[in-house]
Amino acid sequence: MPHDGRARAGVSELRASEADAAATGSPPPVPEAAASDRALAFAGAALAAVYVSGVGNEALRLVETAGCATSEYRLPDRLPLSGGSPAAHAVRTDRPLWLNPAGLASYSEGGPTPPRAEASLAALPLGTEGARLGCLVVVGASADGFEAEQRHFLERYADAVGGMLQAGIGRPETSSLLSPALRSLCAGSFVLVPDTGLIEVDETLLELVGITPDDFDGEADTLLAHALPEDMHALMSVLDPSSQAFGRRELEFRVRRPTGEMRWLSLSCRVVASTDDRPEQVLGVVMATSALRQSADDVSRIQWLTAALDDAATVRDVGRVVVSALREPLGADRVAVAELRDDRLMVVVLDPPQPAAWPEIWRSAWLSEWPDAPVSALPTLQMALWDGRMDLWPAGTALEPGLAGIGAGGLAVLPLPAKGGVAGVCLVGWDEPREFVPEERSLLTATAALVGQALQRAHAHDAEQELATMLQRSLLPRRLPELPGGKAVARYLPARQGLQVGGDWYDVIALSEDRVALVIGDVQGHSAGAATIMGQMRTAVRAYAVEGHPPDVVVSHANRLLVGMESDLFATCCYVELDMEEGNTLFVRAGHLSPLVRHPDGSAEEVQVEGGPPLGILAEAEFPMTAVALAPGAVLALVTDGLVEAADLPLDEGMQRTLTALATADPADPGRMADALLGDVDRREDDVALLLLRYDGMTTRPIRAGWVVWRLPDAVMHARRFTARTLRRWTVEEVADAVLLVVSELVTNALVHTQGPVRLDLTLRGDRVRVCVSDSSPRAPAKPVIVDWEATGGRGLLLVEAMSESFCSVPVAGGKQVCSEIVVPQRDPASADPEPRTEPGGLP
């Protein structure tokens, strides 16, 4: 690597005189706290503080401070939102406030103590999309205030802090916000001693370059070895401070990481003069270019824009890049991007997002159609889209009402070309009169061409993801059934990487009035094939369950079906059958995660369920059942591995996190409980399925009675006697005639037209008597097509159907069940017979 003679000699002298230091091995990276303070100090921040809105949004509460002057300055613990402090003013106006010492002196409260003549202050509101959660207050030590680059860095910093606060990451009561937000910006810092070639760096800078802490020896040459040769000349100027003034220097360069990836980095540094006891030093910050405003050089801007658009996957990502590329560099007051779809405009991004900043026709949600705004309603846009050329309208130009309020001082209309057509339009507006210089015209033209292609590519990506999500959703239940004695909720989240269609599924199957089946499963892989297998498995499990098979048989049948498909994919599954009356639960697990249960006392644990192999592996696999009793108030949770396992999250740790969240969540609202279990959904690498059931127990418990019908000449008579005795015991004799008629017809029909055992079951639930007759024939009873005076059969079923509130025939394992429900009329309390009733001597 080329070096000039003085730099190489300095490095050699250092190595010769400090050989013992070199023998100590790799120097440890700078501690995180020191690195954070160094980066903030370089941005002009002596102290950074986070204020959050208190209860009722009446005051701002100080929750965290950081910086190299935390022991030197003090800020108030509370600031009223209605007061005159800079922080309250910034939150109320929703705009950052930059104060030099003179401006800070005009505020009577909210400033740092002790007051100093050279102190400046910045107040930046925290939050996104109009929801302000607090304020970031930055105290600066420079009498000149904050420079443009420092302001941009601090705005990015405030966005990161606000985003973490909005997402609930790093709550102030539990952990810090300032350090994690700084890490999210990927800002690395360094201190270089040019005379020795030694450099002190933090872990973030090493990660940006692609060097592990163990491989770094503390020398600048090691870092320079990763830079591209074309950028070496600019970097070498940093090692030679004699060639630069004692001020700030900014440059962009490229590094080649060990993986072969090329990364653009931006370096900003300044020289600190030597003193008697300390050599001359270069202090600097290095960041990825996606986190910094591009330099003033137009070529660098286009390079930055190209790299940023290449990383923009969605249409909204493209819109955000356009705002970053145009609004601040051009000093614009408004930027809007819209897609063109079938002669109509669809909003992608409006910046600023406040509705008051735009004409009424523009005030709409993201990616929604503008109200009554086809292209034909906006002649200026229509003309630009037809011509495909940029239009620049100076101040005072009379435009249609839909555009008049966007750029009073100047308006740029940029069609976004893509593959022989126009993908959309971008509008850039200024409030103050604007002169369009040739450099800006060139930048706008180049930006439009790049954005149009990226917008078309992102639209195709969004359409693909929307199709995948629609496919996934169509294979899952649209809604879960209402259950007596419990409430079930489910959540499904697609993966955030790759094709957003996977094999996770869930289902809730109402087997009867008092039994329900829960099932959750996961098919291997993320593809249309996995989704297809998932749909087939869900349908098969539901069909086997509705037939009345026990849980182990249901899972065994599904396993044989998948083996017979000869697919290369396998599936895991957990099947649960719950008796809603008693709380008795049967579990079957086929290679899936164990279910979780939260007990009424608030404790949570894994249910120890004996497991079998995944579905589709062995045709003769056995799937044992495990019985567990649930108490009213318990919550059962079934999850897939996408929730509890990731590249940086071991399975055991993920299960423990989920158990902790399950134990601490409020079971009064299962929906919010499910959301609490999902936690930070942004980190998911796999799709996630979650199924919760809160078991409450049935308030109205049914009364049952059963009778095995003997195949004897007087079998119907015995069935009627059993029915009459049961109805008297239940004190519902007022429906005896109807019920006895139904029993006579259904039992007779089963004895005449089927072989094998016949069973009669009676159930009283609330105001309904249910009569069920089961037999061994799977064929449903056939009602006559034509009934006339000469017909000899079929009248009984029509009569039963006429007498019943509901009538059905359901296939079950080993046969069918024909059921009829009869409503018990409400009694008049005044006419009730006070005398005890006795059973008459004769029976029907």
Side-chain angles (χ1 to χ4, degrees):
M1 183 155 303
H3 294 279
D4 62 8
R6 197 182 71 84
R8 172 58 64 186
V11 172
S12 300
E13 292 171 3
L14 170 75
R15 292 172 181 171
S17 61
E18 301 186 10
D20 54 338
T24 59
S26 301
V30 178
E32 180 180 344
S36 299
D37 292 348
R38 180 188 296 169
L40 290 175
F42 192 83
L47 175 68
V50 176
Y51 284 88
V52 299
S53 299
V55 179
N57 292 330
E58 297 178 355
L60 295 173
R61 178 169 55 91
L62 179 65
V63 296
E64 185 183 358
T65 59
C68 58
T70 52
S71 60
E72 181 179 355
Y73 287 106
R74 290 289 186 271
L75 289 172
D77 292 334
R78 294 179 63 84
L79 295 172
L81 265 177
S82 59
S85 64
H89 182 270
V91 173
R92 290 197 303 267
T93 61
D94 196 22
R95 287 184 176 274
L97 190 63
W98 306 97
L99 301 174
N100 56 21
L104 178 60
S106 64
Y107 285 85
S108 59
E109 60 177 333
T113 56
R116 297 192 177 184
E118 71 277 7
S120 56
L121 186 139
L124 301 97
L126 300 177
T128 56
E129 299 183 3
R132 294 303 167 190
L133 307 176
C135 186
L136 175 67
V137 175
V138 180
V139 179
S142 174
D144 298 329
F146 297 94
E147 299 177 4
E149 284 293 336
Q150 293 174 333
R151 291 187 179 190
H152 186 77
F153 176 82
L154 292 175
E155 287 177 348
R156 292 278 186 173
Y157 189 34
D159 289 342
V161 175
M164 299 182 74
L165 196 60
Q166 178 89 6
I169 305 173
R171 292 291 187 188
E173 291 80 2
T174 58
S175 60
S176 65
L177 288 166
L178 292 172
S179 293
L182 194 60
R183 286 198 306 271
S184 69
L185 293 180
C186 296
S189 62
F190 67 87
V191 176
L192 169 68
V193 181
D195 290 340
T196 65
L198 292 180
I199 186 170
E200 186 181 83
V201 300
D202 55 23
E203 289 190 3
T204 303
L205 193 150
L206 293 178
E207 194 281 328
L208 288 173
V209 178
I211 302 176
T212 62
D214 294 338
D215 294 335
F216 182 60
D217 56 6
E219 297 184 5
D221 287 355
T222 304
L223 295 174
L224 292 174
H226 290 260
L228 267 65
E230 302 93 299
D231 301 332
M232 189 60 61
H233 179 74
L235 290 173
M236 285 301 302
S237 65
V238 177
L239 293 176
D240 187 7
S242 62
S243 64
Q244 53 183 294
F246 290 97
R248 300 176 65 92
R249 175 174 173 79
E250 299 171 5
L251 58 92
E252 291 186 356
F253 64 98
R254 294 160 293 176
V255 295
R256 184 75 66 183
R257 292 168 57 83
T259 59
E261 170 198 2
M262 187 188 72
R263 172 177 287 182
W264 276 92
L265 301 178
S266 180
L267 182 148
S268 182
C269 64
R270 60 186 173 89
V271 179
V272 178
S274 59
T275 61
D276 294 339
D277 57 349
R278 189 176 60 179
E280 188 177 69
Q281 294 181 336
V282 178
L283 309 181
V285 173
V286 177
M287 298 180 67
T289 52
S290 59
L292 278 178
R293 181 175 65 85
Q294 52 280 43
S295 70
D297 178 54
D298 289 340
V299 176
S300 298
R301 285 176 175 173
I302 298 303
Q303 289 174 336
W304 176 89
L305 180 63
T306 302
L309 289 175
D310 187 58
D311 293 334
T314 67
V315 171
R316 291 188 63 183
D317 291 341
V318 173
R320 294 190 186 99
V321 171
V322 175
V323 172
S324 300
L326 296 181
R327 186 177 178 188
E328 185 175 346
L330 297 180
D333 295 288
R334 294 172 191 83
V335 175
V337 181
E339 280 189 280
L340 181 63
R341 299 185 190 175
D342 300 327
D343 197 38
R344 301 195 71 85
L345 295 171
M346 310 292 288
V347 172
V348 173
V349 65
L350 298 177
D351 191 84
Q354 290 76 20
W358 298 89
E360 182 66 30
I361 198 172
W362 294 69
R363 301 177 187 178
S364 56
W366 304 119
L367 284 176
S368 63
E369 188 174 325
W370 294 349
D372 302 323
V375 175
S376 58
L378 300 167
T380 301
L381 295 187
Q382 186 179 39
M383 183 182 304
L385 293 174
W386 280 353
D387 294 342
R389 293 182 296 181
M390 175 179 61
D391 287 337
L392 300 177
W393 302 98
T397 304
L399 300 173
E400 58 264 32
L403 300 178
I406 299 175
L411 177 66
V413 179
L414 309 178
L416 305 177
K419 293 185 179 179
V422 178
V425 65
C426 175
L427 304 181
V428 186
W430 293 265
D431 290 337
E432 299 297 329
R434 184 77 176 182
E435 294 292 337
F436 300 103
V437 298
E439 292 78 6
E440 292 180 350
R441 294 171 181 262
S442 300
L443 175 63
L444 291 172
T445 302
T447 299
L450 293 174
V451 172
Q453 298 173 13
L455 191 63
Q456 189 175 60
R457 183 179 65 252
H459 176 68
H461 175 273
D462 285 354
E464 179 183 346
Q465 300 303 325
E466 183 179 356
L467 178 62
T469 302
M470 184 183 302
L471 171 62
Q472 185 81 50
R473 299 289 185 187
S474 66
L475 296 175
L476 295 173
R478 298 186 61 182
R479 63 180 61 89
L480 301 183
E482 295 185 3
L483 304 175
K487 183 177 181 180
V489 297
R491 296 289 186 269
Y492 175 80
L493 297 174
R496 297 183 64 89
Q497 299 178 0
L499 186 63
Q500 294 182 359
V501 58
D504 289 15
W505 92 89
Y506 61 86
D507 207 351
V508 178
I509 309 166
L511 302 176
S512 65
E513 293 181 347
D514 58 349
R515 289 189 307 122
V516 62
L518 310 175
V519 59
I520 194 166
D522 185 3
V523 178
Q524 171 197 10
H526 292 84
S527 62
T532 302
I533 295 295
M534 178 267 285
Q536 293 172 321
M537 285 293 96
R538 176 179 168 247
T539 302
V541 170
R542 171 174 279 270
Y544 295 139
V546 169
E547 283 187 353
H549 296 291
D552 55 344
V553 176
V554 171
V555 177
S556 180
H557 284 356
N559 174 60
R560 292 193 177 195
L561 177 65
L562 184 54
V563 171
M565 291 180 184
E566 297 183 353
S567 171
D568 294 332
L569 303 177
F570 63 85
T572 64
C573 173
C574 183
Y575 184 93
V576 184
E577 183 177 311
L578 174 61
D579 182 351
M580 303 300 288
E581 283 189 41
E582 304 295 338
N584 296 325
T585 311
L586 295 175
F587 294 89
V588 174
R589 188 166 62 90
H592 201 78
L593 298 174
S594 297
L596 311 176
V597 62
R598 182 189 190 274
H599 299 292
D601 61 1
S603 61
E605 64 175 348
E606 290 187 37
V607 181
Q608 299 303 317
V609 177
E610 189 176 355
L615 306 179
I617 303 297
L618 299 173
E620 304 301 327
E622 296 183 357
F623 301 95
M625 290 191 298
T626 302
V628 177
L630 295 182
V635 178
L636 184 64
L638 306 179
V639 303
T640 58
D641 57 356
L643 178 63
V644 298
E645 189 176 22
D648 58 347
L649 182 65
L651 178 60
D652 293 342
E653 182 180 345
M655 289 291 283
Q656 188 57 47
R657 286 187 185 181
T658 305
L659 280 173
T660 302
L662 184 65
T664 56
D666 184 7
D669 188 343
R672 291 188 178 183
M673 192 179 219
D675 295 336
L677 263 63
L678 291 178
D680 176 20
V681 297
D682 288 336
R683 66 166 175 80
R684 67 182 184 274
E685 303 167 358
D686 195 1
D687 48 341
V688 175
L690 170 65
L691 182 58
L692 291 184
L693 173 68
R694 187 188 65 202
Y695 173 65
D696 301 324
M698 300 179 65
T699 55
T700 303
R701 303 188 66 173
I703 307 173
R704 291 187 174 82
W707 178 265
V708 176
V709 179
W710 305 321
R711 286 189 174 273
L712 298 173
D714 53 355
V716 176
M717 179 191 70
H718 289 292
R720 288 172 58 87
R721 286 184 174 180
F722 162 75
T723 303
R725 290 195 303 270
T726 303
L727 296 179
R728 283 195 297 271
R729 189 169 65 253
W730 292 348
T731 65
V732 288
E733 297 95 324
E734 54 267 40
V735 295
D737 292 339
V739 174
L740 290 174
L741 174 63
V742 170
V743 169
S744 297
E745 293 296 335
L746 296 184
V747 171
T748 300
N749 195 62
L751 292 174
V752 172
H753 297 288
T754 69
Q755 301 293 327
V758 176
R759 180 178 176 83
L760 169 64
D761 291 286
L762 304 176
T763 305
L764 175 62
R765 185 191 300 272
D767 62 345
R768 292 183 178 235
V769 175
R770 184 179 182 87
V771 179
C772 295
V773 175
S774 305
D775 58 60
S776 58
S777 173
R779 301 183 63 181
K783 292 181 287 187
V785 180
I786 299 177
V787 178
D788 53 23
W789 295 105
E790 297 180 356
T792 58
R795 296 173 181 267
L797 289 179
L798 297 178
L799 186 60
V800 169
E801 190 172 9
M803 297 290 295
S804 305
E805 179 71 15
S806 63
F807 174 75
C808 65
S809 176
V810 180
V812 296
K816 68 174 177 297
Q817 191 175 67
V818 183
C819 301
S820 166
E821 282 192 352
I822 298 167
V823 177
V824 179
Q826 295 184 353
R827 300 175 181 174
D828 185 1
S831 61
D833 186 3
E835 298 295 331
R837 290 173 291 183
T838 59
E839 183 175 334
L843 291 173

